[in-house]
Amino acid sequence: MRNDRRDVMKALADARPDSLDPAQLIGSDRSRKDLTRILTDAALSTSEQPVVAGGGRVRQRAWLWAVPVTAVAAAAAVLAGTVFTTPTTGGGDQVIAAAPTEARVVLLNAADKLGAREQTGEYWRVRTQSRVVLLSSAGGKDFALLWTGEEERSVGVKPGAITRGGVNLNDRTEPRTEADGVIWREVGSPAEPEFKHSTAYSAKVPAVGTSPQPKFYETSLADLVYPIGGREVSYADLQALPKDPVELRKLLARSIASSEEGSVELTRWLFHQAASLITLPVPTEVRQAAYRLIADLPGVQALGEITDPNGRRGVGVGLPRGESPDYGTTEEQLIIDQATGLPLAQQEVLRQPGAERTRFGLKDGDVVRSSTTLRAEWTDEQLAVPSAG
């Protein structure tokens, strides 16, 4: 009987057309369509929402949880093997706009990854690297510089543990490209050229061609502060942040309350603030809430697999294009490590630069600002401070 059953199953498998082979579906057009259909059907099943005053509808934020668990697992498995990129000559990967439901899967999967990580250690250590393209001029000629700077914090969270930090780590300012370097040298290699945009980087950007000495500090946990939602908060405040995405959104939006709900300005603010929060020493549930907040922002799209400024591959989500006072039309992106759920980078990508920016050598797809997470983990290893002399 067993042999008969094995023969029957083999015959069925041999008779199965290639179009129904699960191995052939991963990353295919059909898998993407199935993923969108599963999640969209679930969203429609909860769309009968009560009408409120003014003719609007109450927005239900937890529609994804109405999907059967097996459907969510299948959708996530399909997405894991799916890439939505196409090559371009505009600098980096040009991404294909994907359905908003795919972005939700990416973000909620990242939140789940964070929940599965073991959270132990005496210190929360985070090292970040910032890059900013500086539009500059000297001697009547325009060129672009690139400022790169790193900082690290090692937050001691147990009684008696010391908190340390370091700034000006590997800081430098240099011509962005070889062509920019040629122009910079032609005008006399100025250490402090004129910056042509509104950002206030001039106070912290080192002179071109110099590397400032790193600076280290120690502080108590009680005296440590972090910028959250446009204000400084303590470590104790971080621990008390809302673990519900709706309440977290309200808290982060308070400092920009003058903006209209649903505006591009508010959406980009919330996207940036929530993404930055994930790398701070907050409870895991707060990090998960931040991802769920981003998943609920209007217009968030899946970007597929893209590369961060240091060449690491991750899965990206982004916002529709908005206006930057420094660079014109840009797109906000968040790149996530699929293995850990932690952010690899936030970056601002130039779109449709126009003549004002192209004269500085910039083109569509160039990353003009970024904050890359080089390290974010619980550890028993304290940040080492170089000895004097």
Side-chain angles (χ1 to χ4, degrees):
M1 181 66 70
R2 291 179 182 174
N3 290 337
D4 291 344
R5 176 177 173 80
R6 185 162 52 246
D7 290 342
V8 170
M9 297 304 292
K10 183 177 185 303
L12 289 173
D14 291 341
R16 178 184 60 207
D18 290 342
S19 61
L20 297 181
D21 184 353
Q24 302 298 321
L25 295 177
I26 299 298
S28 67
D29 288 339
R30 175 175 171 178
S31 70
R32 291 192 284 271
K33 291 177 182 177
D34 287 347
L35 171 63
T36 302
R37 177 182 55 77
I38 290 169
L39 298 176
T40 302
D41 288 349
L44 292 175
S45 70
T46 62
S47 63
E48 295 302 317
Q49 301 168 5
V51 178
V52 297
R57 293 182 181 273
V58 175
R59 188 177 183 192
Q60 294 193 9
R61 299 177 181 274
W63 60 263
L64 184 62
W65 307 118
V67 185
V69 173
T70 52
V72 173
V78 169
L79 184 67
T82 304
V83 176
F84 301 94
T85 59
T86 184
T88 179
T89 58
D93 289 336
Q94 173 69 46
V95 297
I96 301 173
T101 48
E102 293 168 352
R104 295 189 67 90
V105 172
V106 169
L107 290 159
L108 296 176
N109 183 57
D112 289 343
K113 288 283 187 181
L114 291 180
R117 287 169 57 85
E118 184 179 3
Q119 308 294 330
T120 59
E122 189 170 350
Y123 304 97
W124 174 252
R125 286 189 63 171
V126 177
R127 188 179 182 105
T128 58
Q129 180 185 72
S130 298
R131 285 189 175 97
V132 179
V133 172
L134 300 166
L135 309 182
S136 313
S137 68
K141 294 188 177 182
D142 297 320
F143 51 92
L145 300 174
L146 179 65
W147 169 65
T148 303
E150 296 180 20
E151 61 179 279
E152 183 167 353
R153 274 186 175 177
S154 181
V155 181
V157 298
K158 294 186 177 180
I162 297 297
T163 291
R164 288 177 179 165
V167 296
N168 295 343
L169 309 179
N170 300 318
D171 279 24
R172 60 191 181 277
T173 306
E174 57 196 354
R176 189 178 77 95
T177 66
E178 286 189 24
D180 291 310
V182 170
I183 298 173
W184 177 68
R185 288 187 290 273
E186 285 179 354
V187 296
S189 305
E192 298 181 355
E194 179 185 358
F195 294 144
K196 305 293 288 185
H197 48 77
S198 62
T199 47
Y201 290 110
S202 55
K204 66 183 301 185
V205 170
V208 184
T210 66
S211 297
Q213 287 295 316
K215 297 179 181 178
F216 296 90
Y217 61 88
E218 289 188 355
T219 185
S220 68
L221 195 62
D223 293 332
L224 196 61
V225 294
Y226 295 87
I228 296 292
R231 61 193 180 92
E232 290 187 343
V233 302
S234 68
Y235 177 78
D237 293 330
L238 291 184
Q239 304 313 298
L241 285 172
K243 299 175 182 178
D244 175 77
V246 176
E247 294 303 315
L248 184 60
R249 175 193 172 104
K250 291 178 182 177
L251 183 148
L252 294 179
R254 283 173 192 157
S255 60
I256 197 170
S258 59
S259 299
E260 293 183 5
E261 180 68 21
S263 69
V264 173
E265 180 187 5
L266 177 61
T267 299
R268 286 165 74 96
W269 167 265
L270 291 170
F271 183 91
H272 177 74
Q273 292 292 319
S276 299
L277 182 63
I278 296 169
T279 61
L280 296 184
V282 298
T284 298
E285 295 85 355
V286 175
R287 292 193 181 94
Q288 293 176 304
Y291 271 133
R292 290 165 185 153
L293 184 163
I294 296 171
D296 201 39
L297 291 176
V300 175
Q301 296 181 331
L303 304 179
E305 186 176 307
I306 55 179
T307 304
D308 81 354
N310 285 330
R312 300 174 300 177
R313 303 292 291 185
V315 61
V317 295
L319 287 178
R321 299 171 185 181
E323 289 301 311
S324 162
D326 301 328
Y327 306 104
T329 304
T330 61
E331 179 181 85
E332 294 278 353
Q333 298 181 352
L334 173 63
I335 307 173
I336 302 168
D337 186 333
Q338 290 179 282
T340 66
L342 287 167
L344 292 175
Q346 291 185 68
Q347 59 185 26
E348 191 173 358
V349 179
L350 185 63
R351 299 300 182 196
Q352 300 174 331
E356 177 66 20
R357 275 82 190 182
T358 54
R359 79 169 193 258
F360 291 93
L362 298 178
K363 58 186 180 299
D364 187 88
D366 282 343
V367 176
V368 290
R369 263 196 295 245
S370 67
S371 177
T372 305
T373 304
L374 303 178
R375 177 176 187 171
E377 62 180 347
W378 288 106
T379 178
D380 291 326
E381 179 188 3
Q382 172 64 292
L383 172 65
V385 177
S387 59

